[in-house]
mmCIF file with all atom_site columns, all heavy atoms in Angstrom:
data_model
loop_
_atom_site.group_PDB
_atom_site.id
_atom_site.type_symbol
_atom_site.label_atom_id
_atom_site.label_alt_id
_atom_site.label_comp_id
_atom_site.label_asym_id
_atom_site.label_entity_id
_atom_site.label_seq_id
_atom_site.pdbx_PDB_ins_code
_atom_site.Cartn_x
_atom_site.Cartn_y
_atom_site.Cartn_z
_atom_site.occupancy
_atom_site.B_iso_or_equiv
_atom_site.pdbx_formal_charge
_atom_site.auth_seq_id
_atom_site.auth_comp_id
_atom_site.auth_asym_id
_atom_site.auth_atom_id
_atom_site.pdbx_PDB_model_num
ATOM 1   N N   . SER A 1 87  ? 18.945 -4.390  -7.556 1.00 97.00 ? 384 SER A N   1
ATOM 2   C CA  . SER A 1 87  ? 20.412 -4.479  -7.420 1.00 97.00 ? 384 SER A CA  1
ATOM 3   C C   . SER A 1 87  ? 21.022 -5.184  -8.626 1.00 97.00 ? 384 SER A C   1
ATOM 4   O O   . SER A 1 87  ? 22.187 -4.989  -8.951 1.00 97.00 ? 384 SER A O   1
ATOM 5   C CB  . SER A 1 87  ? 20.788 -5.223  -6.140 1.00 97.00 ? 384 SER A CB  1
ATOM 6   O OG  . SER A 1 87  ? 20.469 -6.599  -6.250 1.00 97.00 ? 384 SER A OG  1
ATOM 7   N N   . ALA A 1 96  ? 11.811 -8.091  -6.521 1.00 98.00 ? 393 ALA A N   1
ATOM 8   C CA  . ALA A 1 96  ? 12.814 -7.113  -6.054 1.00 98.00 ? 393 ALA A CA  1
ATOM 9   C C   . ALA A 1 96  ? 12.164 -5.774  -5.735 1.00 98.00 ? 393 ALA A C   1
ATOM 10  O O   . ALA A 1 96  ? 12.564 -5.099  -4.786 1.00 98.00 ? 393 ALA A O   1
ATOM 11  C CB  . ALA A 1 96  ? 13.896 -6.936  -7.113 1.00 98.00 ? 393 ALA A CB  1
ATOM 12  N N   . GLY A 1 97  ? 11.132 -5.424  -6.506 1.00 98.00 ? 394 GLY A N   1
ATOM 13  C CA  . GLY A 1 97  ? 10.443 -4.142  -6.295 1.00 98.00 ? 394 GLY A CA  1
ATOM 14  C C   . GLY A 1 97  ? 9.757  -4.080  -4.947 1.00 98.00 ? 394 GLY A C   1
ATOM 15  O O   . GLY A 1 97  ? 9.904  -3.106  -4.195 1.00 98.00 ? 394 GLY A O   1
ATOM 16  N N   . ALA A 1 98  ? 9.003  -5.121  -4.610 1.00 98.00 ? 395 ALA A N   1
ATOM 17  C CA  . ALA A 1 98  ? 8.291  -5.141  -3.326 1.00 98.00 ? 395 ALA A CA  1
ATOM 18  C C   . ALA A 1 98  ? 9.252  -5.414  -2.174 1.00 98.00 ? 395 ALA A C   1
ATOM 19  O O   . ALA A 1 98  ? 9.073  -4.883  -1.072 1.00 98.00 ? 395 ALA A O   1
ATOM 20  C CB  . ALA A 1 98  ? 7.174  -6.165  -3.347 1.00 98.00 ? 395 ALA A CB  1
ATOM 21  N N   . THR A 1 99  ? 10.283 -6.210  -2.419 1.00 98.00 ? 396 THR A N   1
ATOM 22  C CA  . THR A 1 99  ? 11.263 -6.496  -1.360 1.00 98.00 ? 396 THR A CA  1
ATOM 23  C C   . THR A 1 99  ? 12.016 -5.226  -0.973 1.00 98.00 ? 396 THR A C   1
ATOM 24  O O   . THR A 1 99  ? 12.349 -5.037  0.204  1.00 98.00 ? 396 THR A O   1
ATOM 25  C CB  . THR A 1 99  ? 12.215 -7.632  -1.795 1.00 98.00 ? 396 THR A CB  1
ATOM 26  O OG1 . THR A 1 99  ? 11.442 -8.829  -2.001 1.00 98.00 ? 396 THR A OG1 1
ATOM 27  C CG2 . THR A 1 99  ? 13.284 -7.901  -0.754 1.00 98.00 ? 396 THR A CG2 1
ATOM 28  N N   . ALA A 1 100 ? 12.266 -4.347  -1.936 1.00 98.00 ? 397 ALA A N   1
ATOM 29  C CA  . ALA A 1 100 ? 12.915 -3.054  -1.608 1.00 98.00 ? 397 ALA A CA  1
ATOM 30  C C   . ALA A 1 100 ? 12.085 -2.299  -0.578 1.00 98.00 ? 397 ALA A C   1
ATOM 31  O O   . ALA A 1 100 ? 12.620 -1.751  0.384  1.00 98.00 ? 397 ALA A O   1
ATOM 32  C CB  . ALA A 1 100 ? 13.088 -2.217  -2.869 1.00 98.00 ? 397 ALA A CB  1
ATOM 33  N N   . PHE A 1 101 ? 10.761 -2.300  -0.745 1.00 98.00 ? 398 PHE A N   1
ATOM 34  C CA  . PHE A 1 101 ? 9.873  -1.646  0.240  1.00 98.00 ? 398 PHE A CA  1
ATOM 35  C C   . PHE A 1 101 ? 9.901  -2.412  1.565  1.00 98.00 ? 398 PHE A C   1
ATOM 36  O O   . PHE A 1 101 ? 9.934  -1.821  2.630  1.00 98.00 ? 398 PHE A O   1
ATOM 37  C CB  . PHE A 1 101 ? 8.413  -1.634  -0.227 1.00 98.00 ? 398 PHE A CB  1
ATOM 38  C CG  . PHE A 1 101 ? 8.151  -0.933  -1.547 1.00 98.00 ? 398 PHE A CG  1
ATOM 39  C CD1 . PHE A 1 101 ? 7.179  -1.419  -2.414 1.00 98.00 ? 398 PHE A CD1 1
ATOM 40  C CD2 . PHE A 1 101 ? 8.855  0.208   -1.899 1.00 98.00 ? 398 PHE A CD2 1
ATOM 41  C CE1 . PHE A 1 101 ? 6.905  -0.772  -3.602 1.00 98.00 ? 398 PHE A CE1 1
ATOM 42  C CE2 . PHE A 1 101 ? 8.588  0.869   -3.096 1.00 98.00 ? 398 PHE A CE2 1
ATOM 43  C CZ  . PHE A 1 101 ? 7.613  0.368   -3.958 1.00 98.00 ? 398 PHE A CZ  1
ATOM 44  N N   . SER A 1 102 ? 9.848  -3.736  1.484  1.00 98.00 ? 399 SER A N   1
ATOM 45  C CA  . SER A 1 102 ? 9.653  -4.522  2.711  1.00 98.00 ? 399 SER A CA  1
ATOM 46  C C   . SER A 1 102 ? 10.917 -4.618  3.568  1.00 98.00 ? 399 SER A C   1
ATOM 47  O O   . SER A 1 102 ? 10.824 -4.563  4.783  1.00 98.00 ? 399 SER A O   1
ATOM 48  C CB  . SER A 1 102 ? 9.090  -5.907  2.389  1.00 98.00 ? 399 SER A CB  1
ATOM 49  O OG  . SER A 1 102 ? 10.082 -6.759  1.861  1.00 98.00 ? 399 SER A OG  1
ATOM 50  N N   . ILE A 1 103 ? 12.106 -4.787  2.939  1.00 98.00 ? 400 ILE A N   1
ATOM 51  C CA  . ILE A 1 103 ? 13.315 -4.949  3.771  1.00 98.00 ? 400 ILE A CA  1
ATOM 52  C C   . ILE A 1 103 ? 14.190 -3.675  3.790  1.00 98.00 ? 400 ILE A C   1
ATOM 53  O O   . ILE A 1 103 ? 15.133 -3.590  4.569  1.00 98.00 ? 400 ILE A O   1
ATOM 54  C CB  . ILE A 1 103 ? 14.165 -6.174  3.354  1.00 98.00 ? 400 ILE A CB  1
ATOM 55  C CG1 . ILE A 1 103 ? 14.918 -5.958  2.030  1.00 98.00 ? 400 ILE A CG1 1
ATOM 56  C CG2 . ILE A 1 103 ? 13.318 -7.453  3.303  1.00 98.00 ? 400 ILE A CG2 1
ATOM 57  C CD1 . ILE A 1 103 ? 16.006 -6.980  1.747  1.00 98.00 ? 400 ILE A CD1 1
ATOM 58  N N   . GLY A 1 104 ? 13.909 -2.743  2.880  1.00 98.00 ? 401 GLY A N   1
ATOM 59  C CA  . GLY A 1 104 ? 14.672 -1.494  2.883  1.00 98.00 ? 401 GLY A CA  1
ATOM 60  C C   . GLY A 1 104 ? 16.004 -1.569  2.153  1.00 98.00 ? 401 GLY A C   1
ATOM 61  O O   . GLY A 1 104 ? 16.841 -0.678  2.291  1.00 98.00 ? 401 GLY A O   1
ATOM 62  N N   . GLU A 1 105 ? 16.200 -2.636  1.376  1.00 98.00 ? 402 GLU A N   1
ATOM 63  C CA  . GLU A 1 105 ? 17.420 -2.765  0.589  1.00 98.00 ? 402 GLU A CA  1
ATOM 64  C C   . GLU A 1 105 ? 17.057 -3.231  -0.808 1.00 98.00 ? 402 GLU A C   1
ATOM 65  O O   . GLU A 1 105 ? 16.120 -4.022  -0.972 1.00 98.00 ? 402 GLU A O   1
ATOM 66  C CB  . GLU A 1 105 ? 18.362 -3.828  1.207  1.00 98.00 ? 402 GLU A CB  1
ATOM 67  C CG  . GLU A 1 105 ? 18.911 -3.465  2.555  1.00 98.00 ? 402 GLU A CG  1
ATOM 68  C CD  . GLU A 1 105 ? 19.730 -4.613  3.162  1.00 98.00 ? 402 GLU A CD  1
ATOM 69  O OE1 . GLU A 1 105 ? 20.364 -5.379  2.404  1.00 98.00 ? 402 GLU A OE1 1
ATOM 70  O OE2 . GLU A 1 105 ? 19.725 -4.725  4.399  1.00 98.00 ? 402 GLU A OE2 1
ATOM 71  N N   . LYS A 1 106 ? 17.840 -2.766  -1.795 1.00 98.00 ? 403 LYS A N   1
ATOM 72  C CA  . LYS A 1 106 ? 17.626 -3.281  -3.145 1.00 98.00 ? 403 LYS A CA  1
ATOM 73  C C   . LYS A 1 106 ? 18.172 -4.696  -3.209 1.00 98.00 ? 403 LYS A C   1
ATOM 74  O O   . LYS A 1 106 ? 19.176 -5.021  -2.568 1.00 98.00 ? 403 LYS A O   1
ATOM 75  C CB  . LYS A 1 106 ? 18.335 -2.371  -4.147 1.00 98.00 ? 403 LYS A CB  1
ATOM 76  C CG  . LYS A 1 106 ? 17.592 -1.055  -4.355 1.00 98.00 ? 403 LYS A CG  1
ATOM 77  C CD  . LYS A 1 106 ? 18.258 -0.240  -5.453 1.00 98.00 ? 403 LYS A CD  1
ATOM 78  C CE  . LYS A 1 106 ? 17.634 1.141   -5.565 1.00 98.00 ? 403 LYS A CE  1
ATOM 79  N NZ  . LYS A 1 106 ? 16.423 1.178   -6.412 1.00 98.00 ? 403 LYS A NZ  1
ATOM 80  N N   . THR A 1 107 ? 17.496 -5.546  -3.948 1.00 98.00 ? 404 THR A N   1
ATOM 81  C CA  . THR A 1 107 ? 17.937 -6.919  -4.093 1.00 98.00 ? 404 THR A CA  1
ATOM 82  C C   . THR A 1 107 ? 17.813 -7.346  -5.547 1.00 98.00 ? 404 THR A C   1
ATOM 83  O O   . THR A 1 107 ? 17.483 -6.519  -6.410 1.00 98.00 ? 404 THR A O   1
ATOM 84  C CB  . THR A 1 107 ? 17.138 -7.840  -3.134 1.00 98.00 ? 404 THR A CB  1
ATOM 85  O OG1 . THR A 1 107 ? 17.706 -9.141  -3.168 1.00 98.00 ? 404 THR A OG1 1
ATOM 86  C CG2 . THR A 1 107 ? 15.662 -7.913  -3.507 1.00 98.00 ? 404 THR A CG2 1
ATOM 87  N N   . PHE A 1 108 ? 18.086 -8.607  -5.797 1.00 98.00 ? 405 PHE A N   1
ATOM 88  C CA  . PHE A 1 108 ? 18.102 -9.092  -7.210 1.00 98.00 ? 405 PHE A CA  1
ATOM 89  C C   . PHE A 1 108 ? 16.700 -9.477  -7.686 1.00 98.00 ? 405 PHE A C   1
ATOM 90  O O   . PHE A 1 108 ? 15.838 -9.831  -6.878 1.00 98.00 ? 405 PHE A O   1
ATOM 91  C CB  . PHE A 1 108 ? 19.068 -10.284 -7.327 1.00 98.00 ? 405 PHE A CB  1
ATOM 92  C CG  . PHE A 1 108 ? 18.770 -11.422 -6.377 1.00 98.00 ? 405 PHE A CG  1
ATOM 93  C CD1 . PHE A 1 108 ? 17.957 -12.491 -6.773 1.00 98.00 ? 405 PHE A CD1 1
ATOM 94  C CD2 . PHE A 1 108 ? 19.294 -11.417 -5.082 1.00 98.00 ? 405 PHE A CD2 1
ATOM 95  C CE1 . PHE A 1 108 ? 17.669 -13.535 -5.899 1.00 98.00 ? 405 PHE A CE1 1
ATOM 96  C CE2 . PHE A 1 108 ? 19.014 -12.475 -4.195 1.00 98.00 ? 405 PHE A CE2 1
ATOM 97  C CZ  . PHE A 1 108 ? 18.204 -13.514 -4.605 1.00 98.00 ? 405 PHE A CZ  1
ATOM 98  N N   . VAL A 1 114 ? 14.618 -11.406 0.688  1.00 98.00 ? 411 VAL A N   1
ATOM 99  C CA  . VAL A 1 114 ? 16.031 -11.695 0.950  1.00 98.00 ? 411 VAL A CA  1
ATOM 100 C C   . VAL A 1 114 ? 16.900 -10.577 0.359  1.00 98.00 ? 411 VAL A C   1
ATOM 101 O O   . VAL A 1 114 ? 16.515 -9.933  -0.597 1.00 98.00 ? 411 VAL A O   1
ATOM 102 C CB  . VAL A 1 114 ? 16.494 -13.066 0.394  1.00 98.00 ? 411 VAL A CB  1
ATOM 103 C CG1 . VAL A 1 114 ? 15.753 -14.209 1.069  1.00 98.00 ? 411 VAL A CG1 1
ATOM 104 C CG2 . VAL A 1 114 ? 16.364 -13.142 -1.132 1.00 98.00 ? 411 VAL A CG2 1
ATOM 105 N N   . ARG A 1 115 ? 18.088 -10.389 0.968  1.00 98.00 ? 412 ARG A N   1
ATOM 106 C CA  . ARG A 1 115 ? 19.011 -9.344  0.513  1.00 98.00 ? 412 ARG A CA  1
ATOM 107 C C   . ARG A 1 115 ? 19.705 -9.752  -0.785 1.00 98.00 ? 412 ARG A C   1
ATOM 108 O O   . ARG A 1 115 ? 19.566 -10.891 -1.235 1.00 98.00 ? 412 ARG A O   1
ATOM 109 C CB  . ARG A 1 115 ? 20.085 -9.097  1.582  1.00 98.00 ? 412 ARG A CB  1
ATOM 110 C CG  . ARG A 1 115 ? 19.554 -8.651  2.925  1.00 98.00 ? 412 ARG A CG  1
ATOM 111 C CD  . ARG A 1 115 ? 20.727 -8.310  3.862  1.00 98.00 ? 412 ARG A CD  1
ATOM 112 N NE  . ARG A 1 115 ? 20.213 -7.968  5.191  1.00 98.00 ? 412 ARG A NE  1
ATOM 113 C CZ  . ARG A 1 115 ? 20.092 -8.848  6.186  1.00 98.00 ? 412 ARG A CZ  1
ATOM 114 N NH1 . ARG A 1 115 ? 20.444 -10.114 6.025  1.00 98.00 ? 412 ARG A NH1 1
ATOM 115 N NH2 . ARG A 1 115 ? 19.614 -8.454  7.345  1.00 98.00 ? 412 ARG A NH2 1
ATOM 116 N N   . ALA A 1 116 ? 20.510 -8.830  -1.297 1.00 98.00 ? 413 ALA A N   1
ATOM 117 C CA  . ALA A 1 116 ? 21.248 -9.084  -2.539 1.00 98.00 ? 413 ALA A CA  1
ATOM 118 C C   . ALA A 1 116 ? 22.194 -10.290 -2.403 1.00 98.00 ? 413 ALA A C   1
ATOM 119 O O   . ALA A 1 116 ? 22.523 -10.941 -3.385 1.00 98.00 ? 413 ALA A O   1
ATOM 120 C CB  . ALA A 1 116 ? 22.042 -7.836  -2.925 1.00 98.00 ? 413 ALA A CB  1
ATOM 121 N N   . ASP A 1 117 ? 22.595 -10.613 -1.156 1.00 98.00 ? 414 ASP A N   1
ATOM 122 C CA  . ASP A 1 117 ? 23.456 -11.796 -0.955 1.00 98.00 ? 414 ASP A CA  1
ATOM 123 C C   . ASP A 1 117 ? 22.641 -13.039 -0.583 1.00 98.00 ? 414 ASP A C   1
ATOM 124 O O   . ASP A 1 117 ? 23.179 -14.024 -0.080 1.00 98.00 ? 414 ASP A O   1
ATOM 125 C CB  . ASP A 1 117 ? 24.528 -11.505 0.126  1.00 98.00 ? 414 ASP A CB  1
ATOM 126 C CG  . ASP A 1 117 ? 23.901 -11.264 1.503  1.00 98.00 ? 414 ASP A CG  1
ATOM 127 O OD1 . ASP A 1 117 ? 22.641 -11.357 1.641  1.00 98.00 ? 414 ASP A OD1 1
ATOM 128 O OD2 . ASP A 1 117 ? 24.653 -10.973 2.446  1.00 98.00 ? 414 ASP A OD2 1
ATOM 129 N N   . THR A 1 119 ? 20.631 -13.629 1.813  1.00 98.00 ? 416 THR A N   1
ATOM 130 C CA  . THR A 1 119 ? 20.282 -13.872 3.217  1.00 98.00 ? 416 THR A CA  1
ATOM 131 C C   . THR A 1 119 ? 18.936 -13.241 3.552  1.00 98.00 ? 416 THR A C   1
ATOM 132 O O   . THR A 1 119 ? 18.596 -12.174 3.030  1.00 98.00 ? 416 THR A O   1
ATOM 133 C CB  . THR A 1 119 ? 21.354 -13.297 4.183  1.00 98.00 ? 416 THR A CB  1
ATOM 134 O OG1 . THR A 1 119 ? 21.499 -11.895 3.912  1.00 98.00 ? 416 THR A OG1 1
ATOM 135 C CG2 . THR A 1 119 ? 22.686 -13.999 4.020  1.00 98.00 ? 416 THR A CG2 1
ATOM 136 N N   . ALA A 1 121 ? 16.036 -11.118 5.356  1.00 98.00 ? 418 ALA A N   1
ATOM 137 C CA  . ALA A 1 121 ? 16.039 -9.872  6.133  1.00 98.00 ? 418 ALA A CA  1
ATOM 138 C C   . ALA A 1 121 ? 14.639 -9.677  6.698  1.00 98.00 ? 418 ALA A C   1
ATOM 139 O O   . ALA A 1 121 ? 13.660 -10.106 6.092  1.00 98.00 ? 418 ALA A O   1
ATOM 140 C CB  . ALA A 1 121 ? 16.415 -8.705  5.233  1.00 98.00 ? 418 ALA A CB  1
ATOM 141 N N   . ASN A 1 353 ? 13.616 3.454   -4.399 1.00 98.00 ? 650 ASN A N   1
ATOM 142 C CA  . ASN A 1 353 ? 12.438 2.721   -3.886 1.00 98.00 ? 650 ASN A CA  1
ATOM 143 C C   . ASN A 1 353 ? 12.627 2.179   -2.467 1.00 98.00 ? 650 ASN A C   1
ATOM 144 O O   . ASN A 1 353 ? 11.707 2.205   -1.659 1.00 98.00 ? 650 ASN A O   1
ATOM 145 C CB  . ASN A 1 353 ? 12.036 1.593   -4.859 1.00 98.00 ? 650 ASN A CB  1
ATOM 146 C CG  . ASN A 1 353 ? 13.146 0.596   -5.152 1.00 98.00 ? 650 ASN A CG  1
ATOM 147 O OD1 . ASN A 1 353 ? 14.276 0.731   -4.674 1.00 98.00 ? 650 ASN A OD1 1
ATOM 148 N ND2 . ASN A 1 353 ? 12.828 -0.410  -5.964 1.00 98.00 ? 650 ASN A ND2 1
ATOM 149 N N   . ASN A 1 354 ? 13.851 1.707   -2.171 1.00 98.00 ? 651 ASN A N   1
ATOM 150 C CA  . ASN A 1 354 ? 14.057 1.066   -0.859 1.00 98.00 ? 651 ASN A CA  1
ATOM 151 C C   . ASN A 1 354 ? 13.959 2.058   0.309  1.00 98.00 ? 651 ASN A C   1
ATOM 152 O O   . ASN A 1 354 ? 13.699 1.660   1.433  1.00 98.00 ? 651 ASN A O   1
ATOM 153 C CB  . ASN A 1 354 ? 15.393 0.329   -0.813 1.00 98.00 ? 651 ASN A CB  1
ATOM 154 C CG  . ASN A 1 354 ? 16.586 1.212   -1.131 1.00 98.00 ? 651 ASN A CG  1
ATOM 155 O OD1 . ASN A 1 354 ? 16.617 1.872   -2.160 1.00 98.00 ? 651 ASN A OD1 1
ATOM 156 N ND2 . ASN A 1 354 ? 17.569 1.244   -0.254 1.00 98.00 ? 651 ASN A ND2 1
ATOM 157 N N   . THR A 1 355 ? 14.133 3.374   0.024  1.00 98.00 ? 652 THR A N   1
ATOM 158 C CA  . THR A 1 355 ? 14.055 4.352   1.131  1.00 98.00 ? 652 THR A CA  1
ATOM 159 C C   . THR A 1 355 ? 12.623 4.523   1.628  1.00 98.00 ? 652 THR A C   1
ATOM 160 O O   . THR A 1 355 ? 12.406 5.065   2.717  1.00 98.00 ? 652 THR A O   1
ATOM 161 C CB  . THR A 1 355 ? 14.638 5.720   0.721  1.00 98.00 ? 652 THR A CB  1
ATOM 162 O OG1 . THR A 1 355 ? 13.865 6.250   -0.346 1.00 98.00 ? 652 THR A OG1 1
ATOM 163 C CG2 . THR A 1 355 ? 16.081 5.616   0.292  1.00 98.00 ? 652 THR A CG2 1
ATOM 164 N N   . HIS A 1 357 ? 10.888 2.218   2.742  1.00 98.00 ? 654 HIS A N   1
ATOM 165 C CA  . HIS A 1 357 ? 10.904 1.395   3.962  1.00 98.00 ? 654 HIS A CA  1
ATOM 166 C C   . HIS A 1 357 ? 11.306 2.244   5.180  1.00 98.00 ? 654 HIS A C   1
ATOM 167 O O   . HIS A 1 357 ? 10.582 2.262   6.188  1.00 98.00 ? 654 HIS A O   1
ATOM 168 C CB  . HIS A 1 357 ? 11.928 0.256   3.739  1.00 98.00 ? 654 HIS A CB  1
ATOM 169 C CG  . HIS A 1 357 ? 12.237 -0.568  4.941  1.00 98.00 ? 654 HIS A CG  1
ATOM 170 N ND1 . HIS A 1 357 ? 11.655 -1.788  5.169  1.00 98.00 ? 654 HIS A ND1 1
ATOM 171 C CD2 . HIS A 1 357 ? 13.093 -0.366  5.978  1.00 98.00 ? 654 HIS A CD2 1
ATOM 172 C CE1 . HIS A 1 357 ? 12.129 -2.310  6.291  1.00 98.00 ? 654 HIS A CE1 1
ATOM 173 N NE2 . HIS A 1 357 ? 13.010 -1.461  6.805  1.00 98.00 ? 654 HIS A NE2 1
ATOM 174 N N   . GLN A 1 358 ? 12.421 2.949   5.075  1.00 98.00 ? 655 GLN A N   1
ATOM 175 C CA  . GLN A 1 358 ? 12.902 3.784   6.191  1.00 98.00 ? 655 GLN A CA  1
ATOM 176 C C   . GLN A 1 358 ? 11.921 4.916   6.474  1.00 98.00 ? 655 GLN A C   1
ATOM 177 O O   . GLN A 1 358 ? 11.689 5.282   7.619  1.00 98.00 ? 655 GLN A O   1
ATOM 178 C CB  . GLN A 1 358 ? 14.303 4.355   5.889  1.00 98.00 ? 655 GLN A CB  1
ATOM 179 C CG  . GLN A 1 358 ? 15.436 3.336   6.012  1.00 98.00 ? 655 GLN A CG  1
ATOM 180 C CD  . GLN A 1 358 ? 15.676 2.549   4.733  1.00 98.00 ? 655 GLN A CD  1
ATOM 181 O OE1 . GLN A 1 358 ? 15.000 2.762   3.734  1.00 98.00 ? 655 GLN A OE1 1
ATOM 182 N NE2 . GLN A 1 358 ? 16.633 1.627   4.766  1.00 98.00 ? 655 GLN A NE2 1
#
Side-chain angles (χ1 to χ4, degrees):
S384 71
T396 297
F398 301 145
S399 76
I400 73 166
E402 294 175 32
K403 285 185 187 275
T404 188
F405 55 93
V411 297
R412 300 186 184 93
D414 65 2
T416 56
N650 56 358
N651 57 306
T652 63
H654 172 99
Q655 285 87 1

